[in-house]
Amino acid sequence: MPSIPEPDAATAETGAGHDFVVVASRLPVDRVEEPDGGTSWRPSPGGLVTALEPVMREAGGAWIGWSGDAGPEPGPFEANGLHLVGMGLSAEEVRDFYEGFCNATLWPLYHDVIAPPQFHRHWWEAYVAVNRRFAQAAATHAARGATVWIHDYQLQLVPQMLRQQRADVRIGFFNHIPFPGYEIFAQLPWRRQVVEGLLGADLLGFQRRADAANFLRACRRATGLTTKGSAVRVSGPAGPRDVHAAAFPISIDSAGLSQIAQREDVRKRAREIREVLGQPEIVLLGVDRLDYTKGILHRLKAYGELLNEGRLGPPQAVLVQVASPSRERVEAYRALRDEVELTVSRINGEHAEVGSTPVHYLHQSYPREEMAALYLAADVMLVTPLRDGMNLVAKEYVACRNDESGALVLSEFTGAADELGGAFLVNPHDIEGLKDTIVRATAVSRAEARRRMRSMRRRVREHDVARWAQTFLSTLNGPAAPPNGDAGHEAGADPDGGTSPDGNTDPGGHASTSPDAPLGPGAAAH
Ligand code: GDG
């Protein structure tokens, strides 16, 4: 494992900068403290790094991100042949920027205020300061005319801050989480600054068309700018330019995961899992970060009622719920953990017998192979978020089901629901509907399960994460989508700026911004 070189040496090595720069809140590696007191880095493979690694290697790209610990800035270093630039956050910034503004303001706000967002001015100040440092690092490490791809809600001000320093670079931004409707977004005291921050990009990618439509509406309402189709017209020192906002649904390394699921050791492990569960007819599975957006409590409520009613339960059916630890220092997450664990205990207390447990609750993180074995062991996958940008777990389950068996129960409020038509779609708030759908999924005929799974597998295979990255980057670097022109731009209402009232700027009011209308080149490509 490579250790961190002296920053000066590494900076010298990066020379005049990189032609491709990824800016994300986290690095694709985790810091490991060695027994001898030294530090090394272990790859933390995720879909994003799998997708971007080939592009990074070909372009000699750099990845700018935070290591995940409070402390000094690691600076530039190399790990696994990738050029990485480690950003530092102080303990106060971890509290105010990361746990505060990112996880207790933006996260609940952008997930339809499932939990109440908190607004604190000093958190906002930390957000501005950290975004400025990331923008500065991007400006330092990008070569002339480079492509810079910024990721997610933690860094929404970086596009504008970077453009102010480096008008020569091409800037893309991808939002991994939903972009909320304006009525919710408008609660944010700094809504105009956030929209303006994002508009520093050339291309803004969202998971779903509805997210892009919400953003375009926020542009009209919060800044009074005009939009036409997927384009927002902004003015700059070099004259007007169009920023495009479109849907680019993210995916997974489908082939890689499917291969893992075919390995004999993984298949054996899947059989072992079913054995230790007592060879039930039906294994139900939930896999989520322990997050209030994931609808874990709704799922447990539905399952608990099915047990009470004798419609499901051991020895015939058992539920395995993996809830991987997440954001444990944020109060709402601590409260959720208590509630989930109380609910699981109640269900098990009431329904377990010696040697037979209805809910197997695992508050742990597992290696990728174990996750694949769990997906293989599960007859019915329960994905019931109240709101989710995409939900990769749904796609991972599908990718692992090489024999085309298994059923996916999927919330309508996930981005994945727009793509996986073969799923059993549910509204997780409708507990009776959720219960009926779970029972229906457990009783599906082999032929129907196969038909549903086959169509979902085709989608996930053809639209993998590499295609997602290629589509986004070729759109970003391609000829400007619709030509710039000043005719026909819609006038935006500007309650903040006090111009014309919002007559008819909702989606639906204009075909170009309706959630059902194609929104630009990305949408057309999928
Ligand atoms: C955000 C958006 C969007 C979970 N536990 C373990 C583990 N995982 C992996 C899953 C999956 C990933 O974590 C979770 O991805 P999701 O998409 O389900 O959700 P978020 O973490 O909320 O991700 C989301 C995503 O960004 C991408 O744009 O889809 O909407 O919220 O890959 O497998 N992996 C391992 N052990 C675990 O215990 N190895």
Side-chain angles (χ1 to χ4, degrees):
M1 274 181 264
S3 1
I4 321 171
E6 288 302 310
D8 285 349
T11 310
E13 196 188 316
T14 56
H18 300 268
D19 289 328
F20 180 56
V21 177
V22 172
V23 190
S25 66
R26 295 296 289 269
L27 286 171
V29 290
D30 290 324
R31 194 201 298 261
V32 181
E33 302 298 338
E34 298 293 350
D36 66 1
T39 299
S40 62
W41 298 92
R42 186 180 44 213
S44 57
L48 197 56
V49 67
T50 312
L52 296 181
E53 216 179 295
V55 196
M56 295 265 294
R57 286 191 200 286
E58 200 183 310
W63 186 306
I64 298 172
W66 174 46
S67 65
D69 307 308
E73 189 160 287
F77 63 99
E78 300 224 356
N80 298 333
L82 297 177
H83 301 290
L84 306 176
V85 181
M87 302 296 292
L89 294 186
S90 67
E92 293 72 38
E93 285 173 337
V94 173
R95 187 190 61 209
D96 295 344
F97 161 78
Y98 178 68
E99 292 162 0
F101 201 78
C102 293
N103 291 338
T105 304
L106 291 175
W107 182 267
L109 186 75
Y110 281 30
H111 288 88
D112 289 354
V113 296
I114 295 165
Q118 296 176 47
F119 303 111
H120 296 297
R121 284 164 284 184
H122 64 288
W123 286 2
W124 165 251
E125 283 158 21
Y127 187 75
V128 174
V130 172
N131 271 250
R132 188 160 287 132
R133 276 215 307 285
F134 273 74
Q136 179 59 52
T140 304
H141 292 278
R144 187 147 193 85
T147 296
V148 180
W149 194 358
I150 301 155
H151 288 265
D152 227 0
Y153 65 103
Q154 298 93 347
L155 301 174
Q156 294 173 104
L157 307 181
V158 173
Q160 185 194 36
M161 290 171 168
L162 176 59
R163 182 171 291 280
Q164 280 163 358
Q165 299 183 62
R166 293 289 306 271
D168 61 295
V169 296
R170 197 98 185 125
I171 305 173
F173 179 95
F174 185 76
N175 198 50
H176 290 253
I177 68 173
F179 196 90
Y182 189 70
E183 287 67 21
I184 289 174
F185 181 69
Q187 288 182 21
L188 186 67
W190 308 279
R191 59 196 182 192
R192 186 179 47 76
Q193 291 93 318
V194 165
V195 168
E196 287 174 355
L198 289 167
L199 288 173
D202 296 291
L203 177 65
L204 294 159
F206 296 89
Q207 301 278 24
R208 299 173 313 144
R209 291 173 180 181
D211 298 317
N214 286 342
F215 173 75
L216 289 165
R217 184 160 179 246
C219 291
R220 298 192 295 272
R221 296 292 304 269
T223 65
L225 290 167
T226 60
T227 66
K228 185 181 186 192
S230 67
V232 189
R233 172 57 57 89
V234 296
S235 56
R241 64 188 181 90
D242 279 349
V243 179
H244 290 274
F248 295 85
I250 200 170
S251 193
I252 57 166
D253 174 16
S254 321
L257 192 57
S258 166
Q259 266 168 23
I260 292 178
Q262 282 171 42
R263 269 166 43 183
E264 188 40 47
D265 57 329
V266 173
R267 288 153 56 98
K268 180 163 169 269
R269 175 64 192 145
R271 288 193 295 272
E272 266 170 31
I273 290 171
R274 290 191 73 102
E275 232 164 78
V276 294
L277 290 173
Q279 296 290 19
E281 274 167 52
I282 298 150
V283 175
L284 302 139
L285 175 66
V287 171
D288 312 83
R289 273 188 311 99
L290 187 44
D291 194 298
Y292 50 79
T293 60
K294 303 292 183 184
I296 301 170
L297 286 169
H298 292 65
R299 191 181 311 160
L300 288 172
K301 188 171 177 58
Y303 181 63
E305 288 189 15
L306 289 172
L307 287 167
N308 289 338
E309 293 162 13
R311 294 168 73 187
L312 216 61
Q316 176 224 7
V318 298
L319 170 64
V320 177
Q321 175 64 56
V322 176
S324 38
S326 184
R327 304 176 189 174
E328 298 195 295
R329 285 158 48 146
V330 178
E331 180 46 39
Y333 288 75
R334 282 203 279 246
L336 173 73
R337 181 176 174 188
D338 287 348
E339 211 178 332
V340 165
E341 294 184 354
L342 185 67
T343 307
V344 169
S345 302
R346 281 210 175 121
I347 294 176
N348 281 340
E350 281 167 23
H351 296 280
E353 286 176 21
V354 175
S356 162
T357 309
V359 186
H360 293 254
Y361 168 75
L362 307 160
H363 182 249
Q364 290 164 54
S365 287
Y366 294 96
R368 215 168 138 70
E369 286 73 12
E370 180 73 2
M371 302 296 289
L374 282 163
Y375 291 139
L376 272 185
D379 303 290
V380 178
M381 184 80 213
L382 302 178
V383 179
T384 58
L386 308 179
R387 179 56 80 194
D388 213 334
M390 175 52 62
N391 195 288
L392 298 181
V393 166
K395 292 187 173 181
E396 288 166 0
Y397 177 68
V398 168
C400 285
R401 308 299 301 188
N402 291 305
D403 68 357
E404 298 177 339
S405 69
L408 173 65
V409 173
L410 180 62
S411 164
E412 294 164 15
F413 304 116
T414 61
D418 285 4
E419 294 180 75
L420 302 179
F424 290 84
L425 292 182
V426 283
N427 168 3
H429 298 282
D430 171 10
I431 299 294
E432 283 307 319
L434 180 53
K435 283 157 59 181
D436 290 345
T437 308
I438 292 173
V439 170
R440 211 150 59 81
T442 61
V444 66
S445 71
R446 268 166 182 262
E448 187 185 338
R450 174 155 297 159
R451 185 179 53 74
R452 286 169 174 267
M453 187 56 76
R454 187 173 292 163
S455 81
M456 293 192 287
R457 284 179 61 77
R458 191 178 315 118
R459 173 78 199 182
V460 170
R461 188 170 56 238
E462 288 171 6
H463 292 80
D464 66 357
V465 73
R467 178 164 170 178
W468 166 78
Q470 276 158 17
T471 309
F472 184 90
L473 289 171
S474 59
T475 308
L476 174 60
N477 290 314
N484 289 356
D486 33 20
H489 276 245
E490 293 163 7
D494 184 9
D496 298 325
T499 58
S500 63
D502 187 2
N504 189 16
T505 50
D506 274 354
H510 296 283
S512 59
T513 50
S514 152
D516 296 316
L519 277 166
H526 288 269

